[in-house]
Amino acid sequence: MLRYIGRRLLYMLLSLFLIITATFFLMRAAPGGPFSGEKKLPPEIEKNLNEFYGLDRPWYEQYFDYLTSIAQWDFGPSFKYKGQTVNDLINSGFPVSFFLGMEALLIAVGMGVLLGIIAALNHNKWQDYAAMIFAVLGISVPSFIMASLLQYVLAIKLGVFPVARWESFMHTILPAIALATGPTAFIARLTRSSMLEVLSNDYIRTAKAKGLSRMQITVRHAIRNALLPVVSYLGPLSAGVITGSFVIEKIFGIPGLGSHFVLSISNRDYTVIMGVTVFYSIILLAAILLVDIAYGLIDPRIKLAGGKKGE
């Protein structure tokens, strides 16, 4: 296990280096600059700003300085937020995105697994059809459309929840549901197909022949093996929902990391764009590593070090 984790950490560092390098040069290749805009600055002021932020130096010096800064967990200053660094924006926005993402993740996993199990246990019955209709709609309807529908029906028409802002737990429910709808539908389909495959195995028939109840067979034997595909999906899903949905945060006026990222694109705040991209990448790589480790713990047949099954 330790050897496997060490090897994966080396791969993560290599992947992170490639992501940082690609992000840096893509920002340099983008047209315009951080101080370009509708209102053009006088050449003297723009020259002083470029000199102050080191943008007038050769690209290799900027690249080396950027790598050194990231190694020290310093993403640099923001070009548009006066007196704030990228680290300040991450520290203020990520806890909000993390809370919203965890709430959406719990909804998605809980409801998705439940619907998938119900659909599989009632195969080709109305429960199965109802769950799959919900899954198709959840996958088909974009999250920003779902967010607008939830705001219109539950907030504006019925007045059950607040329309937007981030002030209390009630303000988190609608954005969490909107963020969780797509993953819930996907997990439901994934759980259903996996459960149907598991329920057709010989050891399930043996358990039925021994006289075990349907509940005992489902809880003791079926669910654990059926959840393996869901666990493998949790890596990118966790990184995606925990860091926050850009569109959802913008629609509900949530001061999370996603809203900072959207504003940084429109403001040409290159250091924020690069810093948030690298931060997201770190979370994604860490989530995938944790899921791989959990995958091996759930299914003892999987050997992490050797990568073989059934040994």
Side-chain angles (χ1 to χ4, degrees):
M1 174 70 78
L2 292 177
R3 186 166 61 250
Y4 171 80
I5 294 175
R7 187 167 65 250
R8 286 301 303 271
L9 288 175
L10 290 176
Y11 292 152
M12 286 175 58
L13 290 175
L14 177 60
S15 301
L16 191 59
F17 170 76
L18 295 176
I19 292 171
I20 293 171
T21 302
T23 305
F24 177 84
F25 286 105
L26 284 174
M27 287 296 98
R28 285 188 58 85
F35 307 114
S36 303
E38 296 180 359
K39 186 177 180 181
K40 188 172 179 58
L41 295 173
E44 297 82 6
I45 296 179
E46 187 170 349
K47 179 181 178 182
N48 291 335
L49 287 172
N50 288 329
E51 183 178 354
F52 178 79
Y53 288 108
L55 300 177
D56 59 340
R57 291 185 298 166
W59 66 267
Y60 51 85
E61 291 185 12
Q62 296 182 46
Y63 176 63
F64 180 77
D65 289 344
Y66 189 64
L67 288 178
T68 305
S69 299
I70 288 183
Q72 299 171 356
W73 199 251
D74 179 12
F75 294 108
S78 169
F79 293 144
K80 300 297 181 180
Y81 294 91
K82 294 182 180 180
Q84 294 192 67
T85 65
V86 180
N87 293 64
D88 294 334
L89 297 177
I90 292 175
N91 292 336
S92 64
F94 179 67
V96 176
S97 297
F98 180 82
F99 183 87
L100 175 62
M102 286 301 297
E103 188 176 348
L105 185 65
L106 290 175
I107 294 174
V109 174
M111 291 300 299
V113 170
L114 179 62
L115 287 174
I117 292 174
I118 292 174
L121 294 178
N122 298 277
H123 187 45
N124 289 333
K125 297 181 180 178
W126 70 267
Q127 296 94 331
D128 185 16
Y129 299 141
M132 289 305 98
I133 289 174
F134 168 80
V136 171
L137 291 175
I139 294 174
S140 304
V141 178
S143 60
F144 62 90
I145 298 295
M146 181 60 65
S148 301
L149 288 174
L150 291 173
Q151 283 181 321
Y152 179 75
V153 175
L154 297 180
I156 296 175
K157 287 296 184 180
L158 300 180
V160 180
F161 299 102
V163 177
R165 300 180 68 85
W166 188 263
E167 297 176 355
S168 65
F169 179 75
M170 291 293 291
H171 289 80
T172 70
I173 296 176
L174 288 186
I177 293 174
L179 189 58
T181 302
T184 300
F186 188 84
I187 290 175
R189 290 175 60 90
L190 201 61
T191 305
R192 174 184 177 273
S193 60
S194 183
M195 275 288 293
L196 289 175
E197 182 181 352
V198 169
L199 291 174
S200 64
N201 287 335
D202 291 337
Y203 67 89
I204 297 295
R205 297 192 187 96
T206 303
K208 291 179 180 178
K210 289 181 178 180
L212 294 179
S213 66
R214 190 182 191 187
M215 179 64 68
Q216 289 176 319
I217 294 172
T218 303
V219 174
R220 292 183 184 180
H221 302 285
I223 291 181
R224 181 172 180 177
N225 291 326
L227 288 182
L228 290 176
V230 177
V231 171
S232 64
Y233 173 62
L234 287 182
L237 172 64
S238 301
V241 298
I242 288 175
T243 50
S245 168
F246 303 159
V247 179
I248 295 298
E249 290 185 5
K250 196 68 177 174
I251 290 174
F252 287 94
I254 299 172
L257 199 54
S259 60
H260 290 320
F261 189 79
V262 172
L263 288 175
S264 68
I265 294 175
S266 59
N267 292 333
R268 295 176 178 268
D269 201 343
Y270 290 170
T271 51
V272 175
I273 296 173
M274 293 190 294
V276 174
T277 301
V278 173
F279 185 71
Y280 281 172
S281 303
I282 293 172
I283 294 177
L284 176 60
L285 294 172
I288 292 175
L289 174 62
L290 292 176
V291 166
D292 286 345
I293 295 173
Y295 205 81
L297 295 176
I298 292 175
D299 190 351
R301 297 171 299 173
I302 299 175
K303 302 298 181 181
L304 295 179
K308 295 181 181 180
K309 198 172 181 179
E311 293 182 356

